[in-house]
């Protein structure tokens, strides 16, 4: 028995059989296990073995769904020049099955094309198939519609309904993967099941089910692996060597890698534990309102060299972070307080060596490259060229209309839901973005109070008289998930009728890690007005696909994000919107509204990456040529710019549309600049 080891619970006969397999190949550290197949990848004598030769993984995470497809090759080549031989990527279930049994594998979701391209460029692939991925991605990669199922699913468990949905999803995904396995001529050498499960639960039946399901689709030759933090508690819960699954570990640059790998050995069978940090953190994530997370280039490179010089393997997390386009960025909470909510930035730069926009002319890339070239099996390609960017300058935006002036354009009346009490967004079919809750109450003399005990995530509250024009309601205040202590005071309006209460709730990204991952959005409690429960509600899903004539191309066909995140062309409203533009009232403070502007690019040679500076604006989302480039919130920072890849742009006229939740910049301008900016809100930042 191995003291303090997971093997204490494994029969001695099984240990003996695995030990025999480790030594039965003779003196060679890597003897082929199947003589008839020249392409093999396996584990033997605490080594990774590829085609009979020991193999050191020098890899990096690079996620296809965070990079526009036109840039996949460029970013992979930059990883090649860094010296990487392996690319690791998650597979987020939610972009591939955005609606039940409606599958998407095209555009930015074309997983097979990404893997094949990496293969052509000489990479091997480590595929993190989920079904849970974490990754600072909405709901940890789970489709939001899982949260609409009643009774509620127990995610990441042996819940039979949940497992049936996983089986259906993997029944689509894994047959696509099988031809791409290394032994079948493809580049995939390993497939990860789940992710960091040991930090979440202890349901070994669940993990064992996933391993068996993967092998049922992919065969027994494949190396399956898990990833957990390098500690006894996490590996005890997360490792399943009894299923023949290799346990990898993850840790940061200041951890003792030798100690981490010694712990790892306890949770793999003898001589089946090649030292691997499958997430070697080159940086860290940043939440809105925090100081930008960075790590030192020299210390990161030194920590990597300590692993590689001792015959260890490592996967840089991240090699290239990319961007959380659309509304897919995730969030975190404190371990014991779901109201301590911290949403992630749109940028997923991660302080990685290959920056969000592909830049490699930075100390971290150079330092890591200097180390990796010592251990690379072949000379490195030449140092990559710099990324060309362009400052297109200032663009004037015009207000089109406010949310309340054109509610019927923002919300299809046929999708309005009525209920005695407020219901979650998911139950109303609204998986991302915003939902407007509406109810009425009887007015009393003097001020009233409104309180909502559970709101996910941020609510703007408005009131108006129920009779007459409700297109310009009065702003009352904001209720936030992370700052929800005192009720809002509602001023006396002097209405001859009841008061209409509007509550616009924003889903700012679902929790992707920890025990509060079952993160429904919207109003999740009763609403109290003067301590009385308000009944009879209407829920209006806010969907931008009903806004007309805002863009002229169909880029969304290439970037298949959920419908709530896009604006599509509906010519039938063209004339009405044109008229409305000239008759709307001046925007009142904190009234959500839509703004539009145009800018011209005269030639294809001028189509270059750029960044939109939102300094002076408050909070919202932005679309360029029908593509949702993400959330902006310069009011709290630290991110002040949004990245616009050149493939989104076009020669001639380009259209920018902004949905501003609060008040616009006084002059209604934005500035296209040539570099990211994290400085326009330095006085507002705070460290959490």
């Amino acid at each position: 028995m191995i003291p303090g080891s997971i093997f204490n619970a494994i029969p001695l006969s099984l240990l003996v059989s695995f030990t025999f397999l480790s030594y039965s190949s003779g003196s060679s550290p890597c003897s082929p296990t199947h003589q008839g197949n020249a392409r093999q990848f396996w584990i033997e004598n605490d080594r990774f073995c590829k085609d009979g030769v020991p193999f050191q993984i020098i890899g990096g995470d690079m996620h296809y769904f965070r990079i526009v497809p036109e840039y996949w090759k460029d970013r992979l080549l930059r990883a090649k020049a860094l010296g990487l031989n392996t690319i690791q990527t998650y597979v987020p279930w939610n972009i591939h099955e955005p609606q039940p049994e409606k599958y998407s594998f095209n555009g930015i979701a074309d997983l097979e094309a990404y893997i094949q391209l990496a293969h052509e460029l000489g990479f091997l692939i480590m595929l993190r198939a989920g079904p849970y991925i974490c990754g600072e991605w909405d709901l940890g990669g789970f489709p939001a519609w899982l949260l609409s199922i009643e009774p509620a699913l127990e995610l990441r468990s042996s819940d039979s309904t949940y497992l049936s949905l996983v089986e259906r999803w993997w029944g689509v995904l894994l047959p696509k993967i099988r031809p791409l396995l290394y032994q079948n001529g493809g580049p995939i050498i390993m497939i990860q099941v789940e992710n960091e499960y040991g930090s979440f639960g202890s349901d070994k039946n669940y993990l064992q089910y996933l391993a068996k399901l993967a092998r049922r689709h992919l065969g027994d030759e494949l190396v399956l692996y898990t990833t957990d933090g390098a500690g006894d508690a996490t590996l005890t819960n997360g490792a399943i060597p009894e299923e023949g699954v290799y346990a990898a570990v993850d840790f940061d640059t200041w951890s003792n890698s030798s100690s981490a790998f010694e712990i790892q050995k306890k949770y793999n069978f003898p001589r089946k534990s090649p030292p691997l940090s499958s997430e070697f953190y080159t940086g860290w994530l940043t939440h809105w309102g925090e100081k930008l997370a960075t790590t030192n280039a020299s210390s990161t490179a030194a920590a990597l060299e300590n692993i590689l010089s001792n015959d260890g393997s490592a996967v840089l997390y991240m090699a290239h972070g990319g961007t959380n386009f659309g509304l897919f960025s995730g969030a975190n909470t404190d371990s014991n307080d779901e109201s301590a909510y911290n949403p992630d930035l749109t940028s997923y730069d991660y302080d990685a060596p290959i920056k969000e926009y592909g830049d490699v002319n930075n100390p971290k890339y150079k330092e890591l490259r200097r180390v990796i070239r010592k251990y690379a099996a072949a000379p490195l390609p030449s140092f990559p060229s710099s990324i060309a960017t362009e400052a297109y300058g200032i663009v004037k935006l015009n207000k089109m209309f406010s949310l309340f002036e054109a509610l019927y354009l923002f919300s299809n009346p046929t999708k309005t839901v009525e209920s005695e009490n407020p219901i979650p967004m998911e139950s109303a079919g609204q998986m991302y973005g915003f939902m407007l809750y509406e109810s009425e109450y009887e007015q009393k003399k003097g001020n009233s109070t409104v309180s909502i005990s559970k709101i996910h995530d941020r609510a703007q509250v408005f009131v108006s008289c129920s009779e007459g024009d409700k297109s310009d309601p009065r702003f009352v205040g904001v209720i936030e998930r992370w700052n929800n202590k005192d009720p809002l005071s509602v001023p006396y309006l002097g209405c001859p009728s009841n008061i209409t209460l509007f509550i616009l709730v924003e889903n700012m990204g679902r929790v992707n890690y920890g025990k509060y991952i079952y993160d429904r959005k919207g109003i999740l409690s009763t609403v109290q007005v003067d301590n009385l429960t308000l009944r009879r509600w209407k829920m209006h899903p806010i969907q931008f696909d009903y806004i007309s004539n805002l863009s002229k191309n169909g880029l969304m066909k290439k970037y298949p994000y959920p419908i709530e995140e896009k604006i599509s062309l509906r010519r039938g409203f063209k004339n009405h919107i044109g008229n409305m533009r000239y008759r709307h009232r001046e925007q009142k403070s904190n009234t959500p509204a839509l703004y539009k502007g145009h800018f011209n690019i005269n030639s294809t040679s001028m189509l270059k990456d750029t960044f939109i500076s939102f300094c002076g604006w408050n909070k919202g989302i932005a679309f360029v040529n029908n593509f949702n480039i993400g959330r902006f919130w310069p009011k709290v920072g630290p991110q002040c710019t949004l990245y616009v890849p050149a493939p989104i742009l076009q020669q001639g006229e380009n259209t920018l549309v902004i949905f501003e939740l609060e008040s616009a910049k006084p002059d209604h301008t934005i500035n296209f600049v040539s570099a990211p900016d994290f400085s326009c809100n330095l006085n507002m930042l705070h460290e959490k």
Side-chain angles (χ1 to χ4, degrees), residues 282-284 293-297 318 348-355 364:
T282 60
W284 198 245
T294 60
T295 59
N296 179 268
M318 298 290 295
Y348 199 62
D349 180 85
Y350 213 84
D351 197 29
I354 305 172
K355 298 304 180 185
K364 188 169 288 182

Side-chain angles (χ1 to χ4, degrees), residues 175-194:
K176 292 178 178 290
I177 297 307
R178 182 159 188 153
L180 299 170
L181 299 179
Y182 187 76
Q183 62 267 29
N184 295 333
I188 299 175
I189 54 172
M190 299 168 66
I191 289 187
Q192 181 178 311
V193 294
E194 248 279 348

